[in-house]
Amino acid sequence: MSHDLVRFERRPAAGGGCIGIATLNAPKALNALSLEMIELLDEKLEEWAQDPDVHAVWLDGEGEKAFCAGGDVVALVRELKREQEAGRGVGSYASHYFSAEYRLDYRLHTYPKPLLVWADGIVMGGGLGLTAGGRHRLVTETTRIAMPEITIGLYPDIGASWFLNKMPPGVGLYLGLTGASINARDALDLGMADRFVPRERRDELLARLCDCHFAPGHVDDAEALVCDVLGEFEAPEKAPEAQVWPHLDHITSLTLKGRVEDAVAAILGDDRDDDWLSANRARLEKGCPLTAHLAWRMLERHRHSSLADAFRDELVVSIQCNVLGDFAEGVRALLIDKDKSPQWRHRDVASVGSADLAAMYGAPWGNGPGPLDDL
Protein backbone atom coordinates (compact mmCIF):
# COMPACT_ATOMS: atom_id res chain seq x y z
CA MET A 1 0.00 0.00 0.00
CA SER A 2 1.13 3.54 -0.72
CA HIS A 3 1.70 5.60 2.39
CA ASP A 4 1.47 8.77 0.27
CA LEU A 5 -2.33 8.71 0.61
CA VAL A 6 -1.97 9.55 4.29
CA ARG A 7 1.13 11.35 5.52
CA PHE A 8 2.34 10.63 9.02
CA GLU A 9 4.74 12.75 11.01
CA ARG A 10 6.11 12.63 14.54
CA ARG A 11 6.77 16.26 15.37
CA PRO A 12 9.05 16.61 18.43
CA ALA A 13 7.68 18.22 21.58
CA ALA A 14 9.83 20.53 23.68
CA GLY A 15 9.87 18.32 26.75
CA GLY A 16 10.50 15.09 24.87
CA GLY A 17 8.23 12.78 22.93
CA CYS A 18 6.15 14.09 20.07
CA ILE A 19 2.83 15.08 18.56
CA GLY A 20 1.59 12.55 16.00
CA ILE A 21 0.31 14.30 12.85
CA ALA A 22 -1.81 12.43 10.28
CA THR A 23 -2.72 14.24 7.06
CA LEU A 24 -5.17 12.91 4.48
CA ASN A 25 -3.30 13.40 1.22
CA ALA A 26 -5.67 13.18 -1.73
CA PRO A 27 -6.43 16.88 -2.31
CA LYS A 28 -7.52 16.44 -5.95
CA ALA A 29 -10.28 14.15 -4.66
CA LEU A 30 -11.01 16.54 -1.76
CA ASN A 31 -9.40 13.91 0.50
CA ALA A 32 -12.28 11.47 -0.06
CA LEU A 33 -11.61 8.36 2.00
CA SER A 34 -10.53 5.31 0.07
CA LEU A 35 -10.36 1.92 1.77
CA GLU A 36 -6.57 2.14 1.67
CA MET A 37 -6.60 5.50 3.46
CA ILE A 38 -8.94 4.15 6.13
CA GLU A 39 -6.73 1.15 6.81
CA LEU A 40 -3.53 3.19 6.89
CA LEU A 41 -5.02 5.68 9.33
CA ASP A 42 -6.52 3.03 11.58
CA GLU A 43 -3.24 1.11 11.78
CA LYS A 44 -1.22 4.21 12.65
CA LEU A 45 -3.71 5.45 15.25
CA GLU A 46 -3.61 2.08 16.97
CA GLU A 47 0.19 2.22 17.00
CA TRP A 48 0.27 5.77 18.38
CA ALA A 49 -2.26 4.92 21.07
CA GLN A 50 0.20 2.38 22.47
CA ASP A 51 3.32 4.52 22.04
CA PRO A 52 4.20 6.43 25.25
CA ASP A 53 6.26 8.93 23.24
CA VAL A 54 3.16 10.16 21.36
CA HIS A 55 1.42 12.62 23.67
CA ALA A 56 -1.37 13.83 21.38
CA VAL A 57 -2.60 13.30 17.82
CA TRP A 58 -3.49 15.90 15.18
CA LEU A 59 -5.62 14.95 12.15
CA ASP A 60 -6.07 17.19 9.11
CA GLY A 61 -6.33 17.17 5.31
CA GLU A 62 -4.00 18.38 2.57
CA GLY A 63 -5.04 21.38 0.49
CA GLU A 64 -7.16 24.45 1.09
CA LYS A 65 -10.51 23.13 -0.11
CA ALA A 66 -11.40 20.22 2.13
CA PHE A 67 -10.57 18.31 5.25
CA CYS A 68 -12.49 15.35 3.82
CA ALA A 69 -15.44 15.43 1.41
CA GLY A 70 -16.67 11.95 2.36
CA GLY A 71 -16.03 8.36 1.45
CA ASP A 72 -14.86 7.18 -1.95
CA VAL A 73 -18.38 6.27 -3.05
CA VAL A 74 -17.42 5.99 -6.72
CA ALA A 75 -15.05 3.13 -5.86
CA LEU A 76 -17.85 1.46 -3.90
CA VAL A 77 -20.18 1.55 -6.90
CA ARG A 78 -17.53 0.36 -9.33
CA GLU A 79 -16.63 -2.58 -7.10
CA LEU A 80 -20.31 -3.45 -6.74
CA LYS A 81 -20.65 -3.51 -10.52
CA ARG A 82 -17.66 -5.84 -10.83
CA GLU A 83 -19.18 -8.17 -8.24
CA GLN A 84 -22.51 -8.21 -10.05
CA GLU A 85 -20.84 -8.94 -13.39
CA ALA A 86 -18.83 -11.76 -11.82
CA GLY A 87 -22.01 -13.16 -10.25
CA ARG A 88 -20.51 -13.74 -6.83
CA GLY A 89 -19.64 -11.95 -3.62
CA VAL A 90 -22.11 -9.14 -4.22
CA GLY A 91 -21.69 -6.63 -1.41
CA SER A 92 -18.41 -8.07 -0.14
CA TYR A 93 -16.42 -4.91 -0.93
CA ALA A 94 -19.09 -2.74 0.69
CA SER A 95 -18.93 -4.95 3.78
CA HIS A 96 -15.15 -4.61 3.93
CA TYR A 97 -15.22 -0.85 3.32
CA PHE A 98 -17.92 0.10 5.79
CA SER A 99 -16.60 -2.28 8.46
CA ALA A 100 -13.17 -0.65 8.23
CA GLU A 101 -14.61 2.89 8.15
CA TYR A 102 -16.88 2.42 11.16
CA ARG A 103 -14.15 0.66 13.12
CA LEU A 104 -11.88 3.65 12.48
CA ASP A 105 -14.62 6.09 13.50
CA TYR A 106 -15.23 4.15 16.70
CA ARG A 107 -11.52 4.20 17.47
CA LEU A 108 -11.55 7.99 17.17
CA HIS A 109 -14.53 8.31 19.52
CA THR A 110 -12.78 6.15 22.12
CA TYR A 111 -9.19 7.31 21.58
CA PRO A 112 -7.18 7.30 24.82
CA LYS A 113 -5.08 10.39 24.06
CA PRO A 114 -5.88 14.00 23.15
CA LEU A 115 -7.09 13.91 19.55
CA LEU A 116 -7.40 17.17 17.62
CA VAL A 117 -9.23 17.32 14.28
CA TRP A 118 -8.61 20.36 12.07
CA ALA A 119 -11.99 20.42 10.27
CA ASP A 120 -11.14 23.14 7.76
CA GLY A 121 -12.97 23.53 4.44
CA ILE A 122 -15.43 20.90 3.20
CA VAL A 123 -16.41 18.27 5.77
CA MET A 124 -19.01 15.87 4.41
CA GLY A 125 -20.19 12.34 5.08
CA GLY A 126 -17.18 10.24 6.00
CA GLY A 127 -15.25 13.40 6.80
CA LEU A 128 -17.80 14.21 9.45
CA GLY A 129 -17.35 10.67 10.76
CA LEU A 130 -13.68 11.45 11.38
CA THR A 131 -14.46 14.85 12.86
CA ALA A 132 -17.21 13.68 15.19
CA GLY A 133 -14.86 11.30 16.96
CA GLY A 134 -12.27 13.94 17.82
CA ARG A 135 -11.82 15.09 21.41
CA HIS A 136 -11.04 18.58 20.11
CA ARG A 137 -12.98 19.39 16.93
CA LEU A 138 -11.59 22.61 15.50
CA VAL A 139 -13.51 24.59 12.87
CA THR A 140 -12.56 27.65 10.85
CA GLU A 141 -14.15 30.38 8.76
CA THR A 142 -14.08 28.03 5.74
CA THR A 143 -15.69 25.02 7.40
CA ARG A 144 -18.76 23.68 5.58
CA ILE A 145 -20.33 20.58 7.10
CA ALA A 146 -23.04 18.45 5.50
CA MET A 147 -24.54 14.99 5.43
CA PRO A 148 -25.83 15.05 1.82
CA GLU A 149 -26.65 11.34 1.53
CA ILE A 150 -30.20 12.21 0.44
CA THR A 151 -28.64 13.13 -2.93
CA ILE A 152 -26.97 9.74 -3.50
CA GLY A 153 -29.35 7.23 -1.97
CA LEU A 154 -27.40 6.40 1.17
CA TYR A 155 -28.44 7.89 4.57
CA PRO A 156 -26.62 9.69 7.42
CA ASP A 157 -24.26 6.96 8.63
CA ILE A 158 -20.74 7.14 10.20
CA GLY A 159 -22.34 7.23 13.65
CA ALA A 160 -24.81 9.97 12.70
CA SER A 161 -27.66 7.71 13.79
CA TRP A 162 -26.27 8.31 17.27
CA PHE A 163 -24.79 11.83 17.26
CA LEU A 164 -27.57 13.57 15.31
CA ASN A 165 -29.81 12.57 18.21
CA LYS A 166 -27.69 14.76 20.51
CA MET A 167 -28.88 17.95 18.81
CA PRO A 168 -31.95 20.02 19.74
CA PRO A 169 -35.21 18.19 18.92
CA GLY A 170 -35.80 17.77 15.21
CA VAL A 171 -32.59 19.44 14.04
CA GLY A 172 -30.63 16.25 13.39
CA LEU A 173 -33.53 14.87 11.37
CA TYR A 174 -33.78 18.10 9.39
CA LEU A 175 -30.07 17.96 8.51
CA GLY A 176 -30.41 14.32 7.49
CA LEU A 177 -33.52 14.81 5.36
CA THR A 178 -32.30 17.91 3.55
CA GLY A 179 -28.52 17.44 3.42
CA ALA A 180 -28.25 21.02 4.67
CA SER A 181 -24.82 22.66 4.68
CA ILE A 182 -23.86 24.31 7.95
CA ASN A 183 -20.98 26.58 8.90
CA ALA A 184 -18.60 26.79 11.86
CA ARG A 185 -21.01 28.81 14.01
CA ASP A 186 -23.76 26.25 13.41
CA ALA A 187 -21.37 23.42 14.25
CA LEU A 188 -20.52 25.07 17.57
CA ASP A 189 -24.19 25.76 18.32
CA LEU A 190 -25.21 22.16 17.58
CA GLY A 191 -22.36 20.46 19.45
CA MET A 192 -20.62 19.24 16.29
CA ALA A 193 -17.49 21.31 16.99
CA ASP A 194 -15.64 22.42 20.12
CA ARG A 195 -13.66 25.52 19.18
CA PHE A 196 -13.34 28.09 16.41
CA VAL A 197 -9.75 28.87 15.41
CA PRO A 198 -8.97 31.16 12.44
CA ARG A 199 -7.47 29.22 9.54
CA GLU A 200 -4.41 31.48 9.42
CA ARG A 201 -3.37 30.38 12.91
CA ARG A 202 -3.09 26.66 12.15
CA ASP A 203 0.69 26.48 11.91
CA GLU A 204 1.11 28.72 14.93
CA LEU A 205 -1.21 26.48 16.94
CA LEU A 206 0.70 23.34 15.98
CA ALA A 207 3.99 25.00 16.90
CA ARG A 208 2.58 26.04 20.26
CA LEU A 209 1.42 22.48 20.98
CA CYS A 210 4.93 21.26 20.24
CA ASP A 211 6.31 23.78 22.74
CA CYS A 212 4.51 21.95 25.54
CA HIS A 213 6.34 19.86 28.11
CA PHE A 214 4.28 16.68 28.23
CA ALA A 215 4.84 14.09 30.96
CA PRO A 216 5.06 10.60 29.41
CA GLY A 217 2.15 8.40 30.36
CA HIS A 218 0.09 11.16 31.98
CA VAL A 219 -2.91 11.47 29.66
CA ASP A 220 -4.86 13.77 31.99
CA ASP A 221 -1.93 16.18 32.15
CA ALA A 222 -1.60 16.09 28.37
CA GLU A 223 -5.31 16.85 28.03
CA ALA A 224 -4.99 19.83 30.36
CA LEU A 225 -2.02 21.20 28.42
CA VAL A 226 -3.85 20.85 25.10
CA CYS A 227 -6.91 22.63 26.51
CA ASP A 228 -4.76 25.48 27.80
CA VAL A 229 -3.14 25.95 24.41
CA LEU A 230 -6.44 25.82 22.53
CA GLY A 231 -7.81 28.45 24.87
CA GLU A 232 -5.11 30.81 23.63
CA PHE A 233 -6.16 30.39 20.01
CA GLU A 234 -9.93 30.05 19.97
CA ALA A 235 -11.84 33.08 18.70
CA PRO A 236 -15.58 32.29 18.61
CA GLU A 237 -16.40 35.94 18.00
CA LYS A 238 -14.86 35.56 14.53
CA ALA A 239 -17.12 32.71 13.49
CA PRO A 240 -19.62 33.40 10.69
CA GLU A 241 -23.26 34.20 11.41
CA ALA A 242 -25.48 31.29 12.40
CA GLN A 243 -27.80 29.72 9.85
CA VAL A 244 -29.54 27.13 12.02
CA TRP A 245 -30.13 28.93 15.32
CA PRO A 246 -32.28 31.76 13.88
CA HIS A 247 -34.61 29.06 12.47
CA LEU A 248 -34.47 26.66 15.41
CA ASP A 249 -38.13 26.85 16.45
CA HIS A 250 -39.24 26.75 12.83
CA ILE A 251 -37.14 23.65 12.09
CA THR A 252 -38.56 21.94 15.16
CA SER A 253 -42.11 22.69 14.04
CA LEU A 254 -41.38 21.17 10.62
CA THR A 255 -39.81 17.95 11.85
CA LEU A 256 -41.52 16.94 15.09
CA LYS A 257 -44.18 14.87 13.36
CA GLY A 258 -45.54 11.38 13.83
CA ARG A 259 -44.42 10.03 10.47
CA VAL A 260 -41.61 10.76 8.05
CA GLU A 261 -44.19 11.45 5.35
CA ASP A 262 -45.59 14.28 7.47
CA ALA A 263 -42.16 15.78 8.16
CA VAL A 264 -41.22 15.69 4.47
CA ALA A 265 -44.54 17.24 3.47
CA ALA A 266 -44.08 20.02 6.04
CA ILE A 267 -40.57 20.85 4.81
CA LEU A 268 -41.58 20.78 1.15
CA GLY A 269 -44.64 22.89 1.88
CA ASP A 270 -42.71 25.51 3.83
CA ASP A 271 -42.87 28.88 2.09
CA ARG A 272 -40.57 30.87 4.36
CA ASP A 273 -38.48 33.21 2.22
CA ASP A 274 -34.90 32.30 3.09
CA ASP A 275 -32.12 31.18 0.74
CA TRP A 276 -30.74 28.53 3.09
CA LEU A 277 -34.15 26.99 3.77
CA SER A 278 -35.03 27.12 0.07
CA ALA A 279 -31.86 25.28 -0.93
CA ASN A 280 -32.62 22.61 1.67
CA ARG A 281 -36.17 22.16 0.37
CA ALA A 282 -34.91 21.77 -3.18
CA ARG A 283 -32.41 19.12 -2.14
CA LEU A 284 -35.07 17.10 -0.33
CA GLU A 285 -37.52 17.43 -3.22
CA LYS A 286 -35.03 15.84 -5.64
CA GLY A 287 -33.62 13.42 -3.07
CA CYS A 288 -34.02 9.70 -2.59
CA PRO A 289 -37.36 8.69 -0.98
CA LEU A 290 -35.86 5.57 0.59
CA THR A 291 -33.10 7.67 2.17
CA ALA A 292 -35.73 9.83 3.87
CA HIS A 293 -37.26 6.77 5.49
CA LEU A 294 -33.87 5.42 6.57
CA ALA A 295 -32.83 8.76 8.07
CA TRP A 296 -36.06 8.83 10.10
CA ARG A 297 -35.94 5.21 11.18
CA MET A 298 -32.26 5.16 12.13
CA LEU A 299 -32.69 8.15 14.41
CA GLU A 300 -35.68 6.47 16.01
CA ARG A 301 -33.80 3.20 16.49
CA HIS A 302 -30.80 4.87 18.11
CA ARG A 303 -32.43 7.53 20.22
CA HIS A 304 -31.22 5.71 23.34
CA SER A 305 -28.69 3.21 22.01
CA SER A 306 -24.93 3.06 22.42
CA LEU A 307 -22.56 4.32 19.76
CA ALA A 308 -21.33 0.77 19.16
CA ASP A 309 -24.88 -0.47 18.56
CA ALA A 310 -25.44 2.37 16.11
CA PHE A 311 -22.35 1.42 14.13
CA ARG A 312 -23.36 -2.24 14.05
CA ASP A 313 -26.81 -1.33 12.76
CA GLU A 314 -25.42 1.14 10.23
CA LEU A 315 -23.14 -1.54 8.83
CA VAL A 316 -26.12 -3.69 7.88
CA VAL A 317 -28.09 -0.83 6.36
CA SER A 318 -25.14 0.59 4.43
CA ILE A 319 -24.36 -2.77 2.83
CA GLN A 320 -28.00 -3.20 1.84
CA CYS A 321 -28.10 0.33 0.41
CA ASN A 322 -25.40 -0.87 -1.97
CA VAL A 323 -26.95 -4.22 -2.79
CA LEU A 324 -30.70 -3.53 -2.66
CA GLY A 325 -31.15 0.23 -2.45
CA ASP A 326 -30.64 3.33 -4.59
CA PHE A 327 -27.02 4.04 -3.75
CA ALA A 328 -25.51 2.88 -7.05
CA GLU A 329 -28.04 4.90 -9.04
CA GLY A 330 -27.56 7.99 -6.92
CA VAL A 331 -23.77 7.91 -7.27
CA ARG A 332 -24.06 7.24 -11.00
CA ALA A 333 -26.30 10.26 -11.54
CA LEU A 334 -24.35 12.69 -9.36
CA LEU A 335 -20.71 11.64 -9.65
CA ILE A 336 -20.17 9.21 -12.55
CA ASP A 337 -22.42 10.19 -15.47
CA LYS A 338 -23.20 13.52 -13.77
CA ASP A 339 -26.60 13.86 -15.44
CA LYS A 340 -28.13 14.69 -12.05
CA SER A 341 -31.26 12.74 -13.00
CA PRO A 342 -31.38 9.71 -10.72
CA GLN A 343 -34.13 7.20 -11.32
CA TRP A 344 -35.08 6.36 -7.76
CA ARG A 345 -36.89 3.09 -7.09
CA HIS A 346 -39.80 4.93 -5.49
CA ARG A 347 -41.74 7.89 -6.85
CA ASP A 348 -41.98 9.65 -3.50
CA VAL A 349 -41.73 9.04 0.24
CA ALA A 350 -45.32 7.79 0.47
CA SER A 351 -44.52 5.07 -2.09
CA VAL A 352 -41.88 3.32 0.04
CA GLY A 353 -43.41 0.10 1.34
CA SER A 354 -42.77 -1.71 4.60
CA ALA A 355 -41.23 -4.71 2.81
CA ASP A 356 -38.67 -2.48 1.08
CA LEU A 357 -37.70 -0.99 4.43
CA ALA A 358 -37.54 -4.34 6.21
CA ALA A 359 -35.13 -5.65 3.57
CA MET A 360 -32.65 -2.92 4.45
CA TYR A 361 -32.25 -4.37 7.94
CA GLY A 362 -31.51 -7.95 6.94
CA ALA A 363 -27.96 -8.77 8.04
CA PRO A 364 -25.99 -10.31 5.13
CA TRP A 365 -24.37 -12.74 7.59
CA GLY A 366 -27.73 -14.03 8.86
CA ASN A 367 -27.82 -14.97 12.53
CA GLY A 368 -24.07 -15.39 12.76
CA PRO A 369 -21.58 -12.92 14.25
CA GLY A 370 -21.14 -9.59 12.51
CA PRO A 371 -17.87 -7.83 11.68
CA LEU A 372 -18.34 -5.19 14.37
CA ASP A 373 -19.61 -7.36 17.20
CA ASP A 374 -16.38 -6.77 19.12
CA LEU A 375 -16.85 -3.00 19.43
Side-chain angles (χ1 to χ4, degrees), residues 1-8 22-41 59-62 67-68 72 130:
M1 290 193 291
S2 171
H3 289 257
D4 291 341
L5 287 172
V6 186
R7 292 201 314 270
F8 300 109
T23 302
L24 306 179
N25 190 32
K28 291 183 179 180
L30 300 180
N31 296 319
L33 284 173
S34 66
L35 177 59
E36 185 175 352
M37 293 166 73
I38 291 168
E39 292 177 337
L40 286 168
L41 187 55
L59 175 60
D60 63 11
E62 181 63 35
F67 163 55
C68 175
D72 188 353
L130 299 179

Side-chain angles (χ1 to χ4, degrees), residues 13-304:
C18 66
I19 304 292
I21 300 175
T23 302
L24 306 179
N25 190 32
K28 291 183 179 180
L30 300 180
N31 296 319
L33 284 173
S34 66
L35 177 59
E36 185 175 352
M37 293 166 73
I38 291 168
E39 292 177 337
L40 286 168
L41 187 55
D42 190 57
E43 180 182 7
K44 183 60 68 173
L45 286 172
E46 182 178 14
E47 174 190 320
W48 282 348
Q50 304 301 321
D51 188 339
D53 288 334
V54 178
H55 302 301
V57 172
W58 173 283
L59 175 60
D60 63 11
E62 181 63 35
E64 296 187 351
K65 292 183 178 180
F67 163 55
C68 175
D72 188 353
V73 295
V74 172
L76 274 162
V77 169
R78 287 175 175 162
E79 289 298 326
L80 177 66
K81 185 177 181 180
R82 291 191 186 99
E83 292 168 351
Q84 291 170 333
E85 291 173 347
R88 64 179 186 275
V90 177
S92 60
Y93 182 84
S95 179
H96 187 182
Y97 180 92
F98 287 114
S99 296
E101 182 182 25
Y102 299 164
R103 186 173 293 280
L104 169 61
D105 290 340
Y106 189 77
R107 183 184 303 282
L108 293 171
H109 277 276
T110 58
Y111 207 65
K113 296 180 178 182
L115 174 63
L116 301 91
V117 182
W118 183 252
D120 180 57
I122 298 170
V123 182
M124 294 196 299
L128 184 54
L130 299 179
T131 303
R135 172 63 182 84
H136 303 281
R137 301 161 298 174
L138 311 178
V139 288
T140 77
E141 61 272 25
T142 69
T143 298
R144 299 299 302 180
I145 293 174
M147 292 291 291
E149 286 76 12
I150 192 82
T151 65
I152 59 170
L154 194 57
Y155 67 99
D157 63 326
I158 46 84
S161 305
W162 180 81
F163 65 72
L164 289 181
N165 270 314
K166 309 303 179 185
M167 296 181 181
V171 175
L173 176 63
Y174 181 83
L175 298 182
L177 288 177
T178 67
S181 176
I182 65 173
N183 62 31
R185 179 71 264 168
D186 300 319
L188 293 167
D189 289 342
L190 298 176
M192 298 177 74
D194 300 298
R195 300 179 191 256
F196 179 91
V197 179
R199 169 189 264 193
E200 64 183 14
R201 302 200 70 188
R202 173 195 175 275
D203 292 346
E204 186 184 355
L205 170 56
L206 262 175
R208 179 70 183 84
L209 287 169
C210 292
D211 281 342
C212 291
H213 289 255
F214 295 98
H218 293 268
V219 175
D220 290 342
D221 291 343
E223 186 66 49
L225 283 172
V226 168
C227 287
D228 288 345
V229 170
L230 290 175
E232 300 172 15
F233 286 83
E234 69 173 334
E237 72 281 358
K238 295 184 178 180
E241 291 186 6
Q243 300 170 118
V244 176
W245 218 250
H247 301 296
L248 183 61
D249 291 342
H250 184 59
I251 289 172
T252 298
S253 71
L254 295 174
T255 53
L256 289 190
K257 308 293 183 181
R259 304 183 310 155
V260 65
E261 294 91 337
D262 298 331
V264 168
I267 296 170
L268 295 181
D270 178 32
D271 60 0
R272 181 168 289 195
D273 185 15
D274 178 88
D275 290 345
W276 184 71
L277 293 173
S278 296
N280 298 339
R281 286 196 297 271
R283 208 176 295 107
L284 173 58
E285 186 174 20
K286 295 180 180 179
C288 176
L290 182 58
T291 292
H293 276 270
L294 293 174
W296 174 281
R297 179 169 288 196
M298 291 300 279
L299 287 175
E300 286 292 310
R301 286 167 70 94
H302 298 289
R303 187 175 301 277
H304 302 295

